[in-house]
Each structure stands twice: as C-alpha cells, then as structure tokens.
Amino acid sequence: DADVTQTPRNRITKTGKRIMLECSQTKGHDRMYWYRQDPGLGLRLIYYSFDVKDINKGEISDGYSVSRQAQAKFSLSLESAIPNQTALYFCATSNSYQPQHFGDGTRLSIL
Amino acid sequence: AQSVSQHNHHVILSEAASLELGCNYSYGGTVNLFWYVQYPGQHLQLLLKYFSGDPLVKGIKGFEAEFIKSKFSFNLRKPSVQWSDTAEYFCAVNALSNTGKLIFGQGTTLQVKP
C-alpha cells in the first residue's frame, strides 16, 4: 500500500462545481502539503499544515480551501471550480525539515 | 521573494552522454537542498538531498549534486545517462527560516535517446 494516498486519481468536472480531493498518509508525519503542478511552472504550494490545528496558505491559495480532519488526513476543496484550475495536484507529507514524500497525484480537468 | 531557477527546461541526450542540470536559488540563509525526479505518469521521488557537511552528495541511480554556497547553486550530475533516466527533474529548496516550505524550480525535462 502506498504511504501517501490520493483520491481520486483522475477527475473531470464542470465549471462551478465543488470538488474535493483527499489525501491520507500512513507515515505518521505531522506535516502535510498540497501542491499543483502546471507545465513549465514546477510545483506551487497551495496550502500546508503542520498539525491538525495549524493551517497555512501557500503561494496560490485563492480559490482553494483545506481541511485537516486528522493527523493522517488532509483534503483540498475547490469551492467553485474554474478552467484555470485544471492541473495535476499532489499531496505531500514530511516531518520537520525532512524530505517530503509525495502521493501519486490527482489529474483534475475542469471543462 | 525566495526563488529557485532551473536553467535548462528541456534537455535531449544520447545514452552514455554526461548530464549536468543547473539549479540556482535566491536565499542568503541556511538552506536544505533537494533534487526530485518524476518519471512519466508517476509521483515525485527523492533523488538526493543536502543538509550539511560534504557539499558533494550522492543519490540514487548514480546521480550526484554539488552545493556551491558562494554561487547559490546545487547542480545535478550523472556521468553516463541511460534511456531509463528520461524524466522530469525538479530542484527544491527549503529555507530553514521559512517554516519548512519547499520552493520548487520550474523543472527540467530530460529525454534520453537510445
């Protein structure tokens, strides 16, 4: 089983819909992160959480929200999806400044 | 603002050629440095990391990287690439005063021709 699991792996939806991407981990890490990957732009941080009660905005948080339901679960929501949110989304986990471990990604297409 | 720059966006090499991918960052304090690789259709995997000590670090699959503090650089090298090295490579920096967030470069796509 994967240490960092993202669901769904692929999603196609329409503009204006609410979307939730989920991430769960079995690594016991305190820190969890959401990134989006766009061609030529690398990975950009959307939100991050250092523990259940700590949520922080990343560099591109507008249009997104998150929930840290438990140490092992961190979900990302798009309240009203728009086409320029079409991207590959990655969840990652880490302890302190140690290397981050990434999930397999969610490919999201918004029509 | 802190940033990471990868100079080569797309590199094409023949098998057995040597590889060097550039990475520069803009931050004057203490940093942790990483190279990640993303094979087609897969998630990012850690190639190597630098935290402290010997500035020449060795990673998996024959990759190495050299931290040159005076140049704010962390270039990735491999003496002889293989077709299986075809992937996208990301440099990332973790500024220790920046609450542990990773800043990624734009990525370099490496295509190795058999």
Side-chain angles (χ1 to χ4, degrees):
Chain A
D1 288 341
D3 295 322
V4 183
T5 302
Q6 292 184 233
T7 56
R9 293 293 312 278
N10 292 281
R11 179 77 184 269
I12 301 173
T13 191
K14 295 180 179 180
T15 298
K17 294 290 188 181
R18 184 178 187 274
I19 308 297
M20 180 180 286
L21 309 183
E22 298 186 336
C23 177
S24 62
Q25 52 120 345
T26 58
K27 299 190 73 69
H29 289 166
D30 293 327
R31 301 182 177 195
M32 298 186 74
Y33 309 80
W34 276 105
Y35 294 90
R36 65 176 280 175
Q37 182 181 11
D38 299 277
L41 296 179
L43 277 76
R44 293 179 292 167
L45 184 62
I46 305 172
Y47 271 95
Y48 61 103
S49 169
F50 284 176
D51 63 43
V52 175
K53 297 182 180 179
D54 177 75
I55 303 289
N56 304 280
K57 292 182 177 181
E59 57 183 309
I60 54 163
S61 59
D62 287 348
Y64 301 94
S65 63
V66 291
S67 174
R68 184 84 182 264
Q69 301 94 325
Q71 187 202 30
K73 294 183 183 294
F74 191 39
S75 60
L76 174 73
S77 294
L78 288 66
E79 298 300 326
S80 179
I82 56 178
N84 74 2
Q85 292 176 313
T86 292
L88 185 56
Y89 290 83
F90 286 102
C91 175
T93 73
S94 75
N95 271 339
S96 186
Y97 294 98
Q98 295 302 313
Q100 294 181 15
H101 297 259
F102 287 81
D104 287 336
T106 295
R107 188 169 296 280
L108 179 61
S109 297
I110 300 163
L111 307 177
Chain B
Q2 297 157 10
S3 64
V4 178
S5 178
Q6 293 181 236
H7 316 299
N8 317 100
H9 297 297
H10 196 166
V11 174
I12 302 173
L13 295 173
S14 298
E15 276 194 313
S18 64
L19 170 72
E20 181 161 3
L21 302 182
C23 173
N24 286 87
Y25 63 93
S26 64
Y27 181 69
T30 303
V31 294
N32 291 335
L33 301 158
F34 307 87
W35 275 97
Y36 283 87
V37 61
Q38 184 179 29
Y39 297 104
Q42 296 188 25
H43 62 272
L44 276 75
Q45 303 171 40
L46 182 68
L47 262 184
L48 48 79
K49 64 183 187 289
Y50 172 80
F51 282 6
S52 63
D54 188 344
L56 184 62
V57 293
K58 295 190 184 299
I60 61 172
K61 304 186 181 186
F63 286 91
E64 65 180 30
E66 184 175 14
F67 171 48
I68 302 179
K69 188 174 182 179
S70 61
K71 295 184 178 181
F72 299 91
S73 70
F74 190 55
N75 292 353
L76 181 71
R77 300 194 293 249
K78 185 171 184 179
S80 176
V81 295
Q82 301 172 320
W83 176 79
S84 59
D85 293 325
T86 295
E88 190 158 17
Y89 293 81
F90 293 95
C91 180
V93 173
N94 181 335
L96 296 187
S97 68
N98 196 24
T99 65
K101 293 187 295 184
L102 273 182
I103 308 296
F104 282 88
Q106 308 93 316
T108 297
T109 300
L110 172 64
Q111 182 181 353
V112 180
K113 294 183 175 180

